Amino acid sequence: MQATRIKELLNSDKTGFEVKINGWVRTKRVSKGFSFFEINDGSCLSNIQVVAEEDVPGYREIIEIGTGSSISVKGDLIDSPGKGQKYEIKAKEIVIYGKADPETYPLQKKRHSFEFLRDIAHLRARTNTFGAVFRLRNALSYAIHSFFQERGFVYIHTPIITGNDCEGAGQMFRVTTIDENAKEQVLTEADDFFGKRTALTVSGQLEGELLATALGNVYTFGPTFRAENSNTSRHLSEFWMVEPEMAFARLEDDIKLAEDFLKYIFKYCLDKCMEDMEFFDLRIKKGVIANLEDIVKSDFITVTYTEAVKILENSGEKFEFPVHWGVDLQSEHERYLTENEFKKPVILIDYPKEIKAFYMKNNDDNKTVRAMDVLVPGIGEIIGGSEREDNLDVLMQRMSELGLNPEDYWWYLDIRKFGSVPHAGFGLGFERTVQFVSGMQNIRDVIPFPRTPKSADF
Amino acid sequence: MQATRIKELLNSDKTGFEVKINGWVRTKRVSKGFSFFEINDGSCLSNIQVVAEEDVPGYREIIEIGTGSSISVKGDLIDSPGKGQKYEIKAKEIVIYGKADPETYPLQKKRHSFEFLRDIAHLRARTNTFGAVFRLRNALSYAIHSFFQERGFVYIHTPIITGNDCEGAGQMFRVTTIDENAKEQVLTEADDFFGKRTALTVSGQLEGELLATALGNVYTFGPTFRAENSNTSRHLSEFWMVEPEMAFARLEDDIKLAEDFLKYIFKYCLDKCMEDMEFFDLRIKKGVIANLEDIVKSDFITVTYTEAVKILENSGEKFEFPVHWGVDLQSEHERYLTENEFKKPVILIDYPKEIKAFYMKNNDDNKTVRAMDVLVPGIGEIIGGSEREDNLDVLMQRMSELGLNPEDYWWYLDIRKFGSVPHAGFGLGFERTVQFVSGMQNIRDVIPFPRTPKSADF
């Protein structure tokens, strides 16, 4: 008999038929003559209750199994007479696949701290919280793909191993086959596997631009890396990024795309993950559902950096970091704007060029660039993007100001030499988005096996 | 006025309305009093023909622009009186975004070799072949996600940077922040960023098993790496893999999943990419469409390794590599089975354990393991998978035979200690699949920016 997943059974519109399920025992209660098992198979947050009476074959052995054991249950799906669940299974046959010793199985009934669960990340997906997080992560991933596919964007895979010091953004991990402990004399970079120094990418954007100026609209969704020694609840050494890039597009198109995109993926979570979302709202962070609902129905507002600085200066707020024109905004400033001033998502544009990357398109004032940061209530910046400099001379000038060598970017400059077009794109940190939607405090708890300084387990 | 993508215009069911397009000039023909431009915007293989008469504003400058220039055209979509296209645009206004100097633009009208185009990979997506390849790559990617999502599989991101020497499969790239040229004395691995030696992953399978035995059914789709010095048309140093893993599943379920999966993604290409597929069939490899159609409608056949070896031994064929029980099958053997013997996809199972990985489930004969290789006509192996050893003692025994240290795999063994379940999965090399579908000969030509020994450009 084919097994059915528990999610499907709990959504059934009828009862009174024979079913088979597979899953892991979450809890067990043994009474005189019968016992209850709560079974979870990972398909959804809810367990299904199994009632076994003592005439079930092998009953004596069955009631000895502990939390974490895996079993298969055949029986009838019936309306549950008990409280707390709609349906239950009246067992006719229970097969034990694998036991879990109650003395050593680390996931006992009691509540465990997230710190403890990080040390057993190979098992933590068996808890309510992490099951919900990873199902949400899956839903968000597919929402991202669906959004872009419906709009004709081409999913591209940009290189993970790179010979470029891209944006010059942050420290990079070196990739090598040279062994520093080798007895032989030290080899040069030209002897290395790729014939030069290579590192793990910090962004697929530059390559994304190459493909956008051929295919039109493209997006990446892949891993990126930062070798920063930051031990915070917001930093990972390895994380996933989404980077769309559009040809024949200006900052205004980028703003529109970002707003449509966020509304789409948040609405997808509300539509497809409500059971898990309710769990987050109840157990992780009050208000995460309302926050998403508000964003989905609000009109984002676009404000220039210069206007935003004026608002902050005149706010009368005492900020930890004083604000004036030219400084990079801090989380406290971003949150003031979204949570106190506008009470909805804010898109800040036209930042001072000194605090933004070399590839952003110059404004005519020669002081600001066509950058945008999308700020949302409760977290601050969630998206950073820009129109790209498509004028070869202006770009060369900017690179020279910053001491970048044009020869290292010959292919990037070629795009401005041959049929250059206005183009724009943005980047979304995927884990921060999962954090935002779920309300999970620590970024290490929204990726299955986090990589952070001094930690690369599993 | 909002621009429309060319794909949409060519699929329009009416004409006689004003449109705007953006794109790059592929060819130009100037006649007396008017000129033709073929414009491509990357949305599809076909160009749209633009007719400009000499009364279009700026006509003199317009007819001077060359191949590769980017323009915007406003005009009326009309039925084309000429041969070779259904519709064309009668231009009313043409705006030049960026010119391309005919003297230096590398993509002139003539046919370029794939070798030459690899050196200008930043521009090659502007050619018919590479536009088609990258659109196909996109379609296959989304087909993969859709297949698994429709079946309730959870998309998971397994680590790229790993502290494990996983399967022991092939050479690995080291990831480090230690500089071998540093003046200081040589640092130990404990001083490295992650506090130990780390490398780029060769497979997400082991971590996939951890999550499958919590969430039920999962799949990865991410980059993997091999530091092999193989300069062939079938090897990349960086490539993408798809690895589903199912809990409560046996080899038979794995076989079923693999067959359903291949049929689904191939059918998706036939349904969604026919224009590009016809191009491949005509220009790249005759028969690629028929090959996919055959697979979609055939019933795959399952044959044991032992039976296959007998068939090969009795075939009377002269193979380059002689075949007998115990040897790993070569491409020539696999192709004989699919193309000569069975004339359809063949799933070989129950391989000798000596030629397969340590984690594959032992058969009762203690000589073979529950492995499967899916072979398809025209290429040979496209999928490799197995049921996994879920018995702790048998797995430990096998690891000890192979000299693997159980302490390095404590988390992998835990899964067999606590609620162990039968589980199975497989791996699909994504680039080889794109090669198979498109008929492209060299694997470097199906990924945007290939990484191979001595080459990591762009």
Side-chain angles (χ1 to χ4, degrees):
Chain A
M1 182 179 188
Q2 193 73 28
T4 309
R5 302 212 64 195
I6 290 169
K7 181 180 184 178
E8 210 177 301
L9 287 187
L10 294 177
N11 286 327
S12 169
D13 51 10
K14 57 178 201 270
T15 51
F17 55 97
E18 196 180 60
V19 298
K20 183 184 164 189
I21 57 150
N22 294 314
W24 290 268
V25 176
R26 283 288 176 87
T27 62
K28 177 188 72 176
R29 274 180 300 139
V30 182
S31 297
K32 201 172 150 36
F34 63 93
S35 50
F36 293 106
F37 298 86
E38 293 282 333
I39 310 294
N40 190 284
D41 69 358
S43 63
C44 60
L45 187 79
S46 296
N47 306 320
I48 196 160
Q49 177 163 287
V50 170
V51 189
E53 297 188 6
E54 59 187 344
D55 59 354
V56 170
Y59 185 73
R60 290 250 173 93
E61 194 191 355
I62 291 162
I63 58 172
E64 292 302 319
I65 61 173
T67 296
S69 303
S70 51
I71 63 173
S72 166
V73 179
K74 215 187 274 183
D76 292 320
L77 187 71
I78 58 171
D79 294 305
S80 178
K83 264 192 175 170
Q85 66 276 322
K86 208 169 139 197
Y87 303 145
E88 62 185 31
I89 297 175
K90 192 172 178 318
K92 294 194 279 202
E93 189 187 319
I94 295 181
V95 175
I96 302 168
Y97 284 119
K99 296 181 185 176
D101 176 13
E103 299 295 314
T104 55
Y105 186 56
L107 287 175
Q108 293 302 324
K109 231 169 140 180
K110 71 177 186 109
R111 205 145 174 188
H112 301 288
S113 74
F114 290 154
E115 288 73 20
F116 170 76
L117 292 172
R118 244 168 260 151
D119 290 335
I120 51 164
H122 62 309
L123 296 173
R124 67 178 177 170
R126 298 185 184 189
T127 65
N128 282 337
T129 301
F130 288 94
V133 166
F134 298 141
R135 282 187 298 271
L136 174 69
R137 203 179 152 100
N138 169 68
L140 273 167
S141 298
Y142 193 57
I144 288 163
H145 282 297
S146 299
F147 174 83
F148 289 118
Q149 294 292 328
E150 286 172 14
R151 281 154 189 78
F153 283 63
V154 176
Y155 178 39
I156 56 168
H157 297 102
T158 49
I160 311 301
I161 299 172
T162 176
N164 315 318
D165 182 7
C166 303
E167 322 181 10
Q171 289 144 285
M172 296 171 88
F173 288 105
R174 190 162 165 238
V175 174
T176 180
T177 53
I178 295 178
D179 194 326
E180 91 286 2
N181 292 320
K183 294 284 186 303
E184 320 90 74
Q185 68 181 97
V186 170
L187 295 165
T188 67
E189 284 166 2
D191 297 313
D192 209 344
F193 190 89
F194 294 107
K196 61 172 165 180
R197 192 177 182 89
T198 50
L200 291 179
T201 185
V202 295
S203 163
Q205 180 200 312
L206 303 196
E207 289 90 355
E209 288 184 54
L210 306 182
L211 292 168
T213 53
L215 301 168
N217 298 332
V218 301
Y219 69 106
T220 71
F221 185 2
T224 51
F225 306 85
R226 298 284 152 87
E228 271 170 67
N229 203 356
S230 307
N231 260 304
T232 81
S233 62
R234 301 252 300 152
H235 288 90
L236 289 170
S237 308
E238 172 180 318
F239 57 100
W240 286 65
M241 281 241 287
V242 179
E243 296 181 289
E245 190 74 32
M246 297 179 287
F248 306 104
R250 307 267 184 198
L251 186 63
E252 291 67 29
D253 305 295
D254 213 25
I255 290 171
K256 173 90 169 61
L257 185 76
E259 179 171 347
D260 290 349
F261 172 70
L262 288 179
K263 287 179 175 176
Y264 182 101
I265 63 172
F266 293 158
K267 183 164 187 308
Y268 191 95
C269 297
L270 294 170
D271 289 347
K272 308 276 180 174
C273 296
M274 203 31 117
E275 187 189 28
D276 291 323
M277 285 305 302
E278 281 170 352
F279 173 84
F280 295 129
D281 209 76
L282 192 66
R283 296 295 176 87
I284 302 298
K285 190 179 178 186
K286 185 93 209 98
V288 284
I289 292 179
N291 205 1
L292 292 191
E293 284 171 344
D294 285 348
I295 292 178
V296 168
K297 61 178 186 240
S298 67
D299 288 319
F300 293 18
I301 184 167
T302 302
V303 179
T304 66
Y305 168 89
T306 303
E307 287 164 356
V309 167
K310 275 189 207 139
I311 290 168
L312 293 166
E313 283 175 332
N314 298 333
S315 66
E317 283 288 308
K318 254 202 129 90
F319 294 114
E320 190 188 339
F321 297 91
V323 68
H324 57 84
W325 201 96
V327 301
D328 214 351
L329 299 185
Q330 302 294 324
S331 184
E332 56 175 340
H333 310 131
E334 297 175 344
R335 296 189 64 166
Y336 178 84
L337 292 168
T338 56
E339 291 163 34
N340 299 67
E341 179 72 19
F342 295 106
K343 298 188 169 56
K344 61 177 173 175
V346 178
I347 304 185
L348 291 191
I349 61 168
D350 295 343
Y351 279 78
K353 68 177 180 180
E354 279 73 20
I355 59 172
K356 289 291 181 185
F358 75 92
Y359 50 69
M360 296 191 179
K361 189 167 178 64
N362 226 31
N363 274 314
D364 291 339
D365 63 11
N366 204 24
K367 280 167 58 189
T368 60
V369 288
R370 304 249 75 195
M372 69 163 187
D373 280 3
V374 182
L375 319 178
V376 291
I379 195 170
E381 186 198 329
I382 192 165
I383 278 180
S386 72
E387 186 173 335
R388 319 307 187 183
E389 186 55 74
D390 56 339
N391 180 301
L392 182 64
D393 296 331
V394 177
L395 182 60
M396 297 272 284
Q397 170 63 29
R398 185 79 190 120
M399 287 173 69
S400 128
E401 280 168 26
L402 294 169
L404 297 171
N405 185 356
E407 280 171 32
D408 295 340
Y409 296 85
W410 65 273
W411 41 273
Y412 190 67
L413 296 172
D414 263 9
I415 297 301
R416 279 76 181 169
K417 259 182 216 156
F418 304 120
S420 186
V421 297
H423 60 289
F426 65 75
L428 170 98
F430 183 60
E431 280 73 19
R432 291 201 181 165
T433 308
V434 181
Q435 264 191 290
F436 173 67
V437 173
S438 63
M440 293 292 286
Q441 277 252 319
N442 196 313
I443 199 164
R444 297 165 199 218
D445 295 332
V446 297
I447 188 167
F449 305 102
R451 267 69 186 111
T452 53
K454 299 296 169 201
S455 170
D457 294 327
F458 309 102
Chain B
M1 182 179 189
Q2 193 74 27
T4 310
R5 302 212 64 197
I6 290 170
K7 181 180 184 177
E8 211 177 299
L9 287 187
L10 293 177
N11 286 328
S12 170
D13 52 10
K14 56 178 204 269
T15 51
F17 55 96
E18 197 181 56
V19 298
K20 182 185 164 188
I21 57 150
N22 293 315
W24 289 269
V25 176
R26 282 288 177 86
T27 63
K28 177 188 73 176
R29 276 180 299 139
V30 181
S31 296
K32 200 172 149 42
F34 62 94
S35 50
F36 293 106
F37 298 87
E38 294 281 333
I39 309 295
N40 190 284
D41 68 358
S43 64
C44 61
L45 188 79
S46 296
N47 306 321
I48 197 159
Q49 178 165 287
V50 170
V51 190
E53 296 189 8
E54 59 187 344
D55 58 354
V56 169
Y59 185 73
R60 290 247 173 95
E61 195 191 353
I62 292 162
I63 58 172
E64 291 303 319
I65 60 173
T67 296
S69 302
S70 52
I71 63 174
S72 166
V73 179
K74 215 187 275 183
D76 293 319
L77 186 71
I78 59 172
D79 294 304
S80 177
K83 265 191 176 170
Q85 65 278 323
K86 209 168 139 197
Y87 303 147
E88 62 186 32
I89 297 175
K90 192 172 179 315
K92 293 194 278 201
E93 189 187 321
I94 295 181
V95 175
I96 303 168
Y97 284 119
K99 296 181 186 177
D101 176 13
E103 299 295 315
T104 54
Y105 186 56
L107 288 175
Q108 292 304 323
K109 231 170 142 179
K110 72 178 185 110
R111 208 149 173 183
H112 301 287
S113 75
F114 290 154
E115 289 73 21
F116 170 76
L117 292 173
R118 245 168 260 151
D119 289 336
I120 51 164
H122 62 309
L123 296 173
R124 67 178 176 170
R126 298 185 183 188
T127 64
N128 282 338
T129 301
F130 288 94
V133 167
F134 298 140
R135 281 187 298 271
L136 174 69
R137 203 179 151 100
N138 168 69
L140 273 167
S141 298
Y142 194 57
I144 289 163
H145 282 297
S146 299
F147 174 83
F148 288 118
Q149 294 291 328
E150 287 171 14
R151 282 155 189 78
F153 282 63
V154 176
Y155 179 39
I156 56 168
H157 296 104
T158 49
I160 311 302
I161 299 172
T162 175
N164 315 317
D165 182 7
C166 302
E167 320 181 12
Q171 290 145 286
M172 296 170 88
F173 289 105
R174 187 159 166 240
V175 174
T176 180
T177 52
I178 295 179
D179 194 326
E180 92 285 3
N181 292 319
K183 294 283 186 302
E184 320 91 73
Q185 69 182 96
V186 171
L187 295 166
T188 67
E189 285 166 1
D191 298 312
D192 209 344
F193 189 90
F194 294 107
K196 60 172 166 179
R197 192 177 181 89
T198 51
L200 291 179
T201 185
V202 296
S203 162
Q205 180 201 313
L206 303 197
E207 289 90 355
E209 288 183 53
L210 306 182
L211 292 168
T213 52
L215 300 169
N217 297 333
V218 301
Y219 70 107
T220 71
F221 185 2
T224 51
F225 306 85
R226 298 285 153 86
E228 273 170 65
N229 204 356
S230 306
N231 260 303
T232 81
S233 63
R234 302 254 298 154
H235 289 89
L236 288 170
S237 308
E238 172 180 318
F239 57 99
W240 287 65
M241 282 242 286
V242 179
E243 296 180 289
E245 190 74 32
M246 297 179 287
F248 307 102
R250 308 269 184 196
L251 185 63
E252 292 66 30
D253 305 296
D254 213 24
I255 289 171
K256 173 89 171 61
L257 185 75
E259 178 171 347
D260 291 349
F261 172 69
L262 288 179
K263 287 179 174 175
Y264 182 101
I265 64 172
F266 293 159
K267 184 165 185 309
Y268 191 94
C269 296
L270 295 170
D271 289 346
K272 308 275 180 175
C273 296
M274 202 32 115
E275 187 189 27
D276 292 322
M277 285 305 302
E278 281 170 352
F279 173 84
F280 295 130
D281 209 78
L282 193 66
R283 297 295 176 87
I284 302 298
K285 190 178 178 187
K286 185 92 210 98
V288 284
I289 292 178
N291 205 1
L292 292 191
E293 285 170 343
D294 285 348
I295 292 177
V296 167
K297 61 179 185 240
S298 67
D299 288 319
F300 293 18
I301 183 168
T302 302
V303 179
T304 66
Y305 168 89
T306 303
E307 287 164 356
V309 167
K310 275 187 207 140
I311 290 167
L312 293 166
E313 283 174 333
N314 298 332
S315 67
E317 283 289 308
K318 255 200 127 87
F319 294 114
E320 190 188 340
F321 297 91
V323 67
H324 57 84
W325 201 96
V327 300
D328 213 349
L329 299 185
Q330 302 294 323
S331 184
E332 56 175 339
H333 309 130
E334 296 175 345
R335 295 189 62 164
Y336 178 85
L337 292 169
T338 56
E339 290 163 35
N340 299 68
E341 179 72 18
F342 294 106
K343 298 189 169 56
K344 61 176 173 177
V346 178
I347 303 185
L348 291 190
I349 60 168
D350 295 343
Y351 280 78
K353 68 176 180 182
E354 279 72 21
I355 59 173
K356 289 290 182 185
F358 75 93
Y359 50 70
M360 296 191 180
K361 188 167 179 64
N362 225 32
N363 273 314
D364 290 340
D365 63 12
N366 204 23
K367 279 167 59 189
T368 60
V369 288
R370 303 250 75 194
M372 70 165 185
D373 280 2
V374 182
L375 319 178
V376 291
I379 195 170
E381 185 199 328
I382 192 165
I383 278 179
S386 72
E387 186 173 336
R388 321 305 187 183
E389 185 56 74
D390 56 339
N391 180 301
L392 182 64
D393 296 332
V394 177
L395 182 60
M396 297 272 283
Q397 171 62 30
R398 185 79 189 119
M399 287 174 69
S400 129
E401 282 169 26
L402 294 170
L404 296 171
N405 185 356
E407 280 172 32
D408 295 339
Y409 296 85
W410 66 273
W411 41 274
Y412 190 68
L413 296 173
D414 262 10
I415 297 301
R416 279 76 182 170
K417 259 182 218 157
F418 304 121
S420 186
V421 296
H423 60 289
F426 64 75
L428 171 98
F430 184 60
E431 280 72 20
R432 291 199 181 167
T433 309
V434 181
Q435 265 191 290
F436 173 67
V437 173
S438 63
M440 293 293 287
Q441 277 252 319
N442 196 314
I443 200 164
R444 297 165 200 217
D445 295 332
V446 298
I447 189 167
F449 305 102
R451 267 69 186 111
T452 53
K454 300 296 167 200
S455 170
D457 294 327
F458 310 101

